[in-house]
Amino acid sequence: MKLKAVAMALMLALTLSGCSFVGLDAQTLMRPPKPTGEKADIHALLESKTDGKMTLKYPRTGDYRSAIITHDVCGDKNDEAMAIFQKGDEATGTDLMFMKKDGGKWVDMGFFNNPAAQVDKVCFGDVTGDGKDDVIVGWGNSLNNTSTICVYYYKNGKMNELKVDQTYTEMAVMDFDGDGRDEIFTASVSVGDQPALARLIRIKDGNVEIMGSCQMDSAVTKYVSVQTGLINEKQNGIVLDGMESANTLVTEMLYWDKTTKILKSPFFDPRSNIANYTLRDTSVVSKDINNDRIIEVPIVSLMPGYDGQTKDEAAYITDWNRYDTQTGEMVRVMSMVLDYSDGYWFLIPDMWRGRITTKADTVTRTVTFYEWKADKKQAGGLLGDPLLKIQVFSEKEWDGGEAAPGFYELMESNNMIFAACSPSPDNPLSLSSGDVKNSFKLMNQE
């Protein structure tokens, strides 16, 4: 009787709360919502082709991560659609179906099957040179250099497939040589006896050609960031940040030299097979740091006074540089100190370069900038006046007046107050509050 009473009570509670046992069905809870609009019509066509038995597949990397992607591949200024899926009766392989609108209805314009179990990446670009965007698909798993490439292009009213016999770890599509048509770039890390190698591939008259190739850093195990675009005012290129070991990164840059018609890798040292020039023990990656549309490369070096320290104890300054292909030299754009634990960076003014160092206190969440004085008696130099303190407070601490006198607010974010003070205002290297505020930025607001 007690069990029956408990059961009745549970039933009553669920009823009164608006719940039902039907809503607790696991399959119902896990079923994705039905697509609407254009994608509903596309989905209906897919179901008609597969008898309603299919599993959508999603690209693992890249800018296009959806199983259904719309893009103009016919050059008619209308978007066509492509769907990646596996039929219910297929044990292996992945299907790719292209669709276009005809008379207001979506119709099949090409169906392809690949033995790979997944899609690594989808890119778009005019690699065939016909003025229309082609679809470049990386099939398989790039993590172990087994991804292969296929190009899908529109011709004679349908999509066609061109297989590129090339595996890769990273792939990018861009006009590298400035001829108005895109090329395919691939990079592969070293696996076994296979060397780390970069290749630039073009499609010419329906044939696959290797424009150029060059060696890459053999110690890189994977790439954590890939940027394509301008590497200086006039030169396109690709910048890859690779991981050599835990928290150790190296940057490699590659571009097509139009004069010599060679794929160049300026940071690579052929004697050691690595790119040690850009090696660093921090997680900062290459990017357009100052919004000038040019990719800058970080060069990280120790602050004064930290020789012989472990990397966890050391403090670093990061110089952002662009590469001058004419002179073969790096040109510094800006320098900064990055605080990864609290997620901000501070721009170093030119008058501070070579004249300051920092000390961090993780307990109080404070970074203090000190003047660094050259001293003939003391090798390296001496610690001088504290010039600037940046400290992070909770809103409760800040509102409760726990900050020391002289602190002013720089920014508020996620219930945290970033504040600063100038302990030595009479020092010629001291900054105004306005300069400090202009030099401070949160990493998530870049």
Side-chain angles (χ1 to χ4, degrees), residues 292-313:
D292 63 352
R293 297 178 59 244
I294 296 173
I295 304 167
E296 281 85 29
V297 175
I299 302 295
V300 180
S301 53
L302 282 171
M303 284 281 201
Y306 283 96
D307 291 337
Q309 302 283 336
T310 66
K311 66 180 183 180
D312 292 331
E313 298 171 331

Short mmCIF file of all heavy atoms in Angstrom, two decimals, residues 292-313:
data_model
loop_
_atom_site.label_atom_id
_atom_site.label_comp_id
_atom_site.label_asym_id
_atom_site.label_seq_id
_atom_site.Cartn_x
_atom_site.Cartn_y
_atom_site.Cartn_z
N ASP A 292 45.51 45.99 -39.11
CA ASP A 292 45.99 46.61 -40.35
C ASP A 292 45.89 45.66 -41.54
O ASP A 292 46.43 45.92 -42.59
CB ASP A 292 47.43 47.09 -40.18
CG ASP A 292 48.41 45.95 -39.91
OD1 ASP A 292 47.95 44.80 -39.70
OD2 ASP A 292 49.63 46.20 -39.89
N ARG A 293 45.20 44.51 -41.34
CA ARG A 293 44.97 43.48 -42.36
C ARG A 293 46.23 42.69 -42.69
O ARG A 293 46.25 41.91 -43.64
CB ARG A 293 44.38 44.09 -43.64
CG ARG A 293 43.01 44.72 -43.45
CD ARG A 293 42.47 45.35 -44.73
NE ARG A 293 42.36 44.36 -45.80
CZ ARG A 293 43.05 44.42 -46.93
NH1 ARG A 293 43.92 45.40 -47.12
NH2 ARG A 293 42.89 43.51 -47.86
N ILE A 294 47.30 42.88 -41.91
CA ILE A 294 48.54 42.14 -42.11
C ILE A 294 48.76 41.21 -40.92
O ILE A 294 48.57 41.60 -39.77
CB ILE A 294 49.74 43.10 -42.26
CG1 ILE A 294 49.57 43.96 -43.52
CG2 ILE A 294 51.05 42.33 -42.33
CD1 ILE A 294 50.62 45.05 -43.65
N ILE A 295 49.15 39.96 -41.20
CA ILE A 295 49.38 38.99 -40.13
C ILE A 295 50.72 39.29 -39.47
O ILE A 295 51.76 39.33 -40.14
CB ILE A 295 49.37 37.56 -40.69
CG1 ILE A 295 48.07 37.28 -41.44
CG2 ILE A 295 49.57 36.54 -39.56
CD1 ILE A 295 48.11 36.02 -42.28
N GLU A 296 50.69 39.49 -38.16
CA GLU A 296 51.92 39.72 -37.41
C GLU A 296 52.34 38.44 -36.69
O GLU A 296 51.51 37.63 -36.30
CB GLU A 296 51.74 40.85 -36.39
CG GLU A 296 51.81 42.25 -36.98
CD GLU A 296 50.49 42.75 -37.55
OE1 GLU A 296 49.43 42.32 -37.04
OE2 GLU A 296 50.52 43.56 -38.50
N VAL A 297 53.66 38.31 -36.52
CA VAL A 297 54.25 37.12 -35.91
C VAL A 297 54.82 37.50 -34.55
O VAL A 297 55.58 38.47 -34.44
CB VAL A 297 55.36 36.54 -36.80
CG1 VAL A 297 56.06 35.36 -36.12
CG2 VAL A 297 54.79 36.11 -38.15
N PRO A 298 54.50 36.75 -33.49
CA PRO A 298 55.04 37.07 -32.16
C PRO A 298 56.45 36.49 -31.96
O PRO A 298 56.68 35.32 -32.23
CB PRO A 298 54.04 36.41 -31.21
CG PRO A 298 53.51 35.24 -31.99
CD PRO A 298 53.52 35.64 -33.43
N ILE A 299 57.34 37.33 -31.49
CA ILE A 299 58.67 36.89 -31.06
C ILE A 299 58.74 37.16 -29.56
O ILE A 299 58.61 38.30 -29.12
CB ILE A 299 59.80 37.64 -31.79
CG1 ILE A 299 59.68 37.45 -33.31
CG2 ILE A 299 61.16 37.17 -31.28
CD1 ILE A 299 59.87 36.03 -33.78
N VAL A 300 58.93 36.11 -28.78
CA VAL A 300 58.85 36.21 -27.32
C VAL A 300 60.26 36.11 -26.73
O VAL A 300 61.03 35.22 -27.10
CB VAL A 300 57.95 35.09 -26.76
CG1 VAL A 300 57.88 35.18 -25.24
CG2 VAL A 300 56.56 35.18 -27.37
N SER A 301 60.58 37.03 -25.82
CA SER A 301 61.90 37.02 -25.18
C SER A 301 61.75 37.30 -23.69
O SER A 301 60.75 37.87 -23.23
CB SER A 301 62.83 38.04 -25.83
OG SER A 301 62.23 39.32 -25.86
N LEU A 302 62.77 36.91 -22.93
CA LEU A 302 62.76 37.11 -21.49
C LEU A 302 62.89 38.58 -21.12
O LEU A 302 63.59 39.35 -21.79
CB LEU A 302 63.92 36.35 -20.84
CG LEU A 302 63.76 34.83 -20.65
CD1 LEU A 302 65.09 34.25 -20.20
CD2 LEU A 302 62.68 34.53 -19.63
N MET A 303 62.21 38.95 -20.06
CA MET A 303 62.39 40.28 -19.49
C MET A 303 63.75 40.36 -18.80
O MET A 303 64.31 39.33 -18.38
CB MET A 303 61.29 40.55 -18.46
CG MET A 303 59.95 40.89 -19.06
SD MET A 303 59.91 42.60 -19.60
CE MET A 303 58.15 42.89 -19.65
N PRO A 304 64.32 41.56 -18.64
CA PRO A 304 65.57 41.69 -17.89
C PRO A 304 65.43 41.14 -16.47
O PRO A 304 64.38 41.27 -15.84
CB PRO A 304 65.79 43.21 -17.86
CG PRO A 304 65.06 43.73 -19.05
CD PRO A 304 63.87 42.85 -19.21
N GLY A 305 66.50 40.50 -16.00
CA GLY A 305 66.52 39.99 -14.64
C GLY A 305 66.02 38.57 -14.49
O GLY A 305 65.94 38.06 -13.36
N TYR A 306 65.70 37.90 -15.60
CA TYR A 306 65.15 36.55 -15.50
C TYR A 306 66.04 35.49 -16.13
O TYR A 306 65.57 34.39 -16.41
CB TYR A 306 63.76 36.50 -16.14
CG TYR A 306 62.69 37.11 -15.26
CD1 TYR A 306 62.28 38.43 -15.43
CD2 TYR A 306 62.11 36.37 -14.24
CE1 TYR A 306 61.31 38.99 -14.62
CE2 TYR A 306 61.13 36.92 -13.42
CZ TYR A 306 60.74 38.23 -13.62
OH TYR A 306 59.78 38.78 -12.80
N ASP A 307 67.29 35.77 -16.36
CA ASP A 307 68.19 34.76 -16.88
C ASP A 307 68.35 33.63 -15.87
O ASP A 307 68.56 33.86 -14.68
CB ASP A 307 69.57 35.37 -17.19
CG ASP A 307 69.51 36.33 -18.36
OD1 ASP A 307 68.58 36.19 -19.17
OD2 ASP A 307 70.37 37.22 -18.46
N GLY A 308 68.23 32.40 -16.35
CA GLY A 308 68.41 31.25 -15.47
C GLY A 308 67.16 30.81 -14.75
O GLY A 308 67.17 29.80 -14.05
N GLN A 309 66.06 31.55 -14.91
CA GLN A 309 64.80 31.17 -14.26
C GLN A 309 64.10 30.08 -15.08
O GLN A 309 64.30 29.95 -16.28
CB GLN A 309 63.88 32.39 -14.15
CG GLN A 309 64.47 33.55 -13.38
CD GLN A 309 64.43 33.33 -11.88
OE1 GLN A 309 63.61 32.57 -11.40
NE2 GLN A 309 65.30 33.97 -11.15
N THR A 310 63.27 29.28 -14.41
CA THR A 310 62.43 28.33 -15.13
C THR A 310 61.36 29.11 -15.88
O THR A 310 61.04 30.25 -15.54
CB THR A 310 61.77 27.33 -14.18
OG1 THR A 310 60.84 28.03 -13.34
CG2 THR A 310 62.81 26.62 -13.33
N LYS A 311 60.77 28.47 -16.89
CA LYS A 311 59.79 29.19 -17.70
C LYS A 311 58.54 29.57 -16.90
O LYS A 311 57.87 30.55 -17.21
CB LYS A 311 59.40 28.37 -18.93
CG LYS A 311 58.66 27.08 -18.65
CD LYS A 311 58.33 26.38 -19.96
CE LYS A 311 57.54 25.11 -19.73
NZ LYS A 311 57.22 24.42 -21.00
N ASP A 312 58.23 28.79 -15.84
CA ASP A 312 57.08 29.13 -15.01
C ASP A 312 57.35 30.34 -14.13
O ASP A 312 56.43 31.03 -13.71
CB ASP A 312 56.69 27.93 -14.15
CG ASP A 312 56.14 26.78 -14.97
OD1 ASP A 312 55.57 27.05 -16.04
OD2 ASP A 312 56.30 25.62 -14.55
N GLU A 313 58.62 30.58 -13.82
CA GLU A 313 58.98 31.70 -12.96
C GLU A 313 59.31 32.95 -13.76
O GLU A 313 59.32 34.05 -13.21
CB GLU A 313 60.21 31.32 -12.11
CG GLU A 313 59.97 30.15 -11.16
CD GLU A 313 61.26 29.69 -10.50
OE1 GLU A 313 62.33 29.85 -11.13
OE2 GLU A 313 61.21 29.18 -9.37
#
